[in-house]
Each structure stands twice: as C-alpha cells, then as structure tokens.
Amino acid sequence: MLFLMVTSRQNEWSKLARGLETAPGVELLWAESGTAALQAAQVNSFDLILIDEVLEDMPGLDLAKNLIKSNPMLNCALSSALSKESFHEASEGLGLLAQLPLDPGEQQAHDLIEQVTAIIKLIQGAESTLT
C-alpha cells in the first residue's frame, strides 16, 4: 500500500508515520505542500493521502477537494480541529475516509490501515466478480 502524508509538521506527525511505516506492506511518501501533493498524485497511485489541516500553500480541505475532483476514488483523511459536526458540514460530499486529530498517533495509523485494507479487499472482490 502506498500512502502520502502531506504536512510541513513532520515532528507532530511522527507517531502517525511510525505507526504506518512499521506496518507490513506500507510505503510512505511525504509532501510539504498542496502543490507537491497534487504533483505526486499525478504520477503515483496512492491508496491513501493523509492531509494536514493547514499547509504551506493552501488549506488542507482545499487540497482534499482538488484531489478528489481529479480522482473521485481516492481515499483521503484530513486532520482538523473542527468538531465532528462542523467537520462533517465542511467536508460533506467529499467522501473523506477519516477526520484526524491535529497530532495523530499510532492508533490512528492502525485504524487507517484497517480501513484501507478493507476497501482494497472490497474493490478486489468486486473486480473479480466482474471478470
């Protein structure tokens, strides 16, 4: 599985990164800006993109919108300080996989890996029934 972490706060996201990197079969790439993430998404097929709330060049929510607009099947998770209700309203229609805390940790990494693995299995199962 190929994941992209988009943040300029690598120290605050180090626990999440450690949780992802120690999982078998996970490769982790980093981008510090929305522009770099958009470029990376053009040349890589990411299984999940994890986006910080505020990036160097745009809000994380704007990046999620741009990514999903270009590929509606892309899995994204976004860190946000908003309440669950406000986050739901702000991200409605985007199909975000998860709302992450501002300093996500190893538990979020494990939860995300489980969710992405389940999605991949569903897609593979659907594809095998179509062929």
Side-chain angles (χ1 to χ4, degrees):
M1 289 185 287
L2 183 59
F3 291 2
L4 176 66
M5 292 181 69
V6 188
T7 183
S8 59
R9 300 179 316 118
Q10 291 188 1
N11 286 340
E12 289 85 349
W13 281 43
S14 63
K15 290 178 186 173
L16 176 65
R18 188 171 41 254
L20 294 172
E21 290 174 324
T22 58
V26 173
E27 182 182 351
L28 186 60
L29 300 179
W30 293 82
E32 289 196 4
S33 68
T35 301
L38 289 166
Q39 290 171 345
Q42 290 177 353
V43 295
N44 295 285
S45 294
F46 292 107
D47 295 296
L48 177 63
I49 299 181
L50 303 110
I51 305 167
D52 204 348
E53 181 176 51
V54 177
L55 304 171
E56 294 176 350
D57 55 352
M58 67 182 72
L61 187 59
D62 287 354
L63 174 60
K65 288 176 184 176
N66 287 329
L67 288 166
I68 293 169
K69 195 182 304 179
S70 67
N71 180 358
M73 299 304 291
L74 188 58
N75 295 310
C76 293
L78 177 67
S79 74
S80 176
L82 294 173
S83 69
K84 287 187 182 216
E85 296 79 19
S86 296
F87 181 81
H88 177 73
E89 279 186 36
S91 65
E92 191 168 3
L94 294 179
L96 294 177
L97 191 62
Q99 176 183 4
L100 302 172
L102 294 180
D103 56 346
E106 290 189 39
Q107 184 59 52
Q108 283 82 28
H110 299 301
D111 294 345
L112 289 166
I113 290 168
E114 283 183 20
Q115 289 176 295
V116 171
T117 300
I119 290 168
I120 290 171
K121 286 180 181 177
L122 282 172
I123 291 170
Q124 289 172 343
E127 288 174 349
S128 67
T129 60
L130 294 174
T131 55

